[in-house]
Amino acid sequence: MELADRVNRIEPSATLAVLMEKEKLTARGIDVVDFGPGEPDFPTPEHIKRAAIKAIEENKTKYTPSAGVMPLRQAAIDWHAKYLGSSYGPKECVINCGGKHSLFNVINALINSGDEVLILAPYWVSYPEMVKCADGTPVILETSADDGFIPRASEIEKAITPRTKILIVNSPANPTGAVIPESEFAKILEVAKENGVWVLSDECYSHFVYGDAKPFSIASLPGAKDHVIISASLSKTFAMTGWRMGYTLAPQPISDAVLKLQSQSVSNPTSIAQYAALEALRGGMESVEKMISEFAKRRRRIIDGLRKIPGVSCHEPAGSFYVFPNVAGAIEGNGATSADTVKAAKDLLEHAHVVVIPGEAFGAPGYLRISYATSMERIEEGLRRLDNFFRVEKPVISAAATRG
Ligand SMILES: Cc1ncc(COP(=O)(O)O)c(C=O)c1O
């Protein structure tokens, strides 16, 4: 069957294969420690769930305006202004079905065939695929582990060409957890202004920050609005991944274009979820703060635990709920090339029953993405298994690999 080029150009999610293997083991009754999750292990807070139930009872179950109901658009603008220092108006805000939908819409609203989109590696798996789907060209710019994977404006400037239309930034980042300092954001904005490039800021993890790091948006910088597009998500912040709620903040011509795409595709985000989102944005940050303080403890534990494993090095990320250790030193001589973390992840699942996502999925072989969106008890068990795998079982794996 002949499918459209846009589908043939893109790859299915690289994380899917590992997760399917995990399902097979779980179905056999095997206890698997899952460091794969890209979502908080906390339930959606009660007050948000109740708002959705109330919306159903009040029959708020019909089409809404494509951009979302006005109270929700206003609440998104107000929340972003209060917690991240921006100032947008209702015509500059469109509610989307999750942050991913916002990014997809923005890329499709701006990219013509051959336009370049600058993506910082290690990157979230979907960026290059979304760009390819829009017939754009993803241009990958490596960030350095020695610099905590923080992108530098000077390097970005060197990678810009006359065809560069968008630079995607993601702070805190998936998979590295890197947080771009305010001062670097200011320099990135200057580079974008001088070169006529849009900064598409994916703020999915904005509030997952630890230590001295504070939630920050590039939209709060003076003069940012004409050069910046914000893709925001309620998924992680309010433990609402399944509700599919996110929004775009952008100058009106871009917001209108996003709206046009949306009106001819999904029509509107689910009405009931919109009322849940309204409550999330208006209902205070208490549940968010509780979740973040729990994540902070887990982050400390997992970094300390990983650093004790010979051959594993782990930088200390200031944000998100992932750590991104380099395990190349630990898998060398394992029958795999040092960079082959796809094999390492497969072996880990098969032999130690631990799910991790190989760095290859994010353009970074040699690394593993480990999510600490799981209980402290599972983290302890997972660390024990990882340590055992890299320290003790290594020769067993090595022998198996040699045999076959
Ligand atoms: C970096 C990043 N951006 C965007 C998203 C999309 O989030 P959602 O569509 O659930 O709002 C994710 C989800 O994993 C992510 O990790």
Side-chain angles (χ1 to χ4, degrees):
M1 187 197 292
E2 196 181 333
L3 295 172
D5 291 347
R6 85 178 61 81
V7 175
N8 290 330
R9 276 196 296 268
I10 64 175
E11 301 288 333
S13 167
T15 54
L16 219 65
V18 186
L19 298 180
M20 270 160 60
E21 286 306 311
K22 179 212 149 187
E23 291 309 322
K24 281 190 213 156
L25 292 182
T26 313
R28 280 165 45 203
I30 293 172
D31 171 39
V32 177
V33 175
D34 191 356
F35 282 143
E39 59 185 348
D41 52 318
F42 291 79
T44 304
E46 278 306 315
H47 65 111
I48 299 175
K49 292 195 279 196
R50 277 201 306 275
I53 293 165
K54 188 159 171 272
I56 296 174
E57 286 169 353
E58 290 176 355
N59 295 315
K60 291 175 172 158
T61 52
K62 303 290 172 70
Y63 291 132
T64 76
S66 272
V69 294
M70 189 49 92
L72 177 57
R73 284 157 76 187
Q74 191 59 53
I77 290 163
D78 293 345
W79 186 90
H80 205 274
K82 181 171 177 185
Y83 295 106
L84 293 163
S86 65
S87 67
Y88 286 96
K91 290 188 172 161
E92 297 168 313
C93 174
V94 180
I95 307 299
N96 312 110
C97 308
K100 198 176 214 173
H101 188 218
S102 164
L103 292 160
F104 190 87
N105 280 343
V106 169
I107 289 169
N108 278 283
L110 280 177
I111 292 303
N112 277 319
S113 178
D115 283 345
E116 292 176 5
V117 177
L118 207 46
I119 295 169
L120 305 156
Y123 47 75
W124 181 48
V125 286
S126 294
Y127 300 142
E129 305 312 312
M130 285 185 187
V131 172
K132 284 193 261 170
C133 191
D135 207 13
T137 306
V139 175
I140 309 297
L141 174 63
E142 301 289 334
T143 58
S144 157
D146 296 338
D147 200 10
F149 299 108
I150 291 167
R152 296 294 165 190
S154 52
E155 296 301 312
I156 290 170
E157 184 153 36
K158 282 188 229 158
I160 289 175
T161 77
R163 298 233 57 173
T164 311
K165 193 136 188 209
I166 299 177
L167 159 72
I168 303 181
V169 291
N170 174 218
S171 174
N174 176 6
T176 63
V179 172
I180 304 176
E182 264 182 66
S183 56
E184 201 62 42
F185 256 129
K187 290 183 199 160
I188 291 172
L189 179 61
E190 279 317 303
V191 166
K193 273 186 194 174
E194 277 162 24
N195 292 278
V197 170
W198 285 102
V199 181
L200 173 53
S201 180
D202 177 353
E203 297 184 349
C204 190
Y205 297 92
S206 63
H207 279 65
F208 293 85
V209 284
Y210 313 100
D212 295 334
K214 298 270 173 297
F216 177 79
S217 171
I218 187 172
S220 67
L221 291 172
K225 266 179 77 173
D226 290 340
H227 307 275
V228 162
I229 302 159
I230 304 298
S231 277
S233 166
L234 279 76
S235 292
K236 324 274 172 166
T237 313
F238 298 101
M240 291 180 74
T241 46
W243 299 77
R244 313 309 304 130
M245 277 286 119
Y247 55 96
T248 307
L249 299 171
Q252 202 185 332
I254 295 178
S255 293
D256 285 350
V258 165
L259 184 53
K260 206 199 264 185
L261 283 172
Q262 186 153 297
S263 69
Q264 295 295 9
S265 50
V266 298
S267 288
N268 61 262
T270 307
S271 62
I272 300 150
Q274 288 191 51
Y275 288 96
L278 180 60
E279 172 60 24
L281 293 168
R282 283 190 180 161
M285 297 291 279
E286 204 183 312
S287 61
V288 183
E289 281 156 17
K290 261 195 212 151
M291 181 166 69
I292 306 294
S293 73
E294 179 58 30
F295 277 143
K297 288 183 225 153
R298 299 172 180 181
R299 166 181 166 276
R300 185 70 272 142
R301 178 67 194 100
I302 207 154
I303 293 170
D304 292 346
L306 286 168
R307 284 180 173 169
K308 291 203 177 102
I309 303 174
V312 174
S313 64
C314 188
H315 76 286
E316 186 159 331
S320 81
F321 44 75
Y322 310 107
V323 285
F324 202 55
N326 187 319
V327 298
I331 61 176
E332 260 164 30
N334 234 6
T337 64
S338 62
D340 191 352
T341 21
V342 169
K343 180 174 184 315
K346 202 164 163 282
D347 286 348
L348 259 167
L349 184 58
E350 240 169 65
H351 297 265
H353 304 149
V354 176
V355 178
V356 294
I357 311 292
E360 281 83 346
F362 314 98
Y367 292 84
L368 298 176
R369 190 192 77 176
I370 296 182
S371 160
Y372 49 90
T374 187
S375 70
M376 196 63 111
E377 184 214 339
R378 297 309 281 165
I379 288 173
E380 293 295 351
E381 175 61 18
L383 280 171
R384 200 187 57 69
R385 292 186 192 187
L386 285 174
D387 188 79
N388 189 58
F389 174 81
F390 285 121
R391 207 190 288 266
V392 184
E393 281 192 33
K394 188 168 158 168
V396 178
I397 314 293
S398 194
T402 315
R403 277 201 302 275

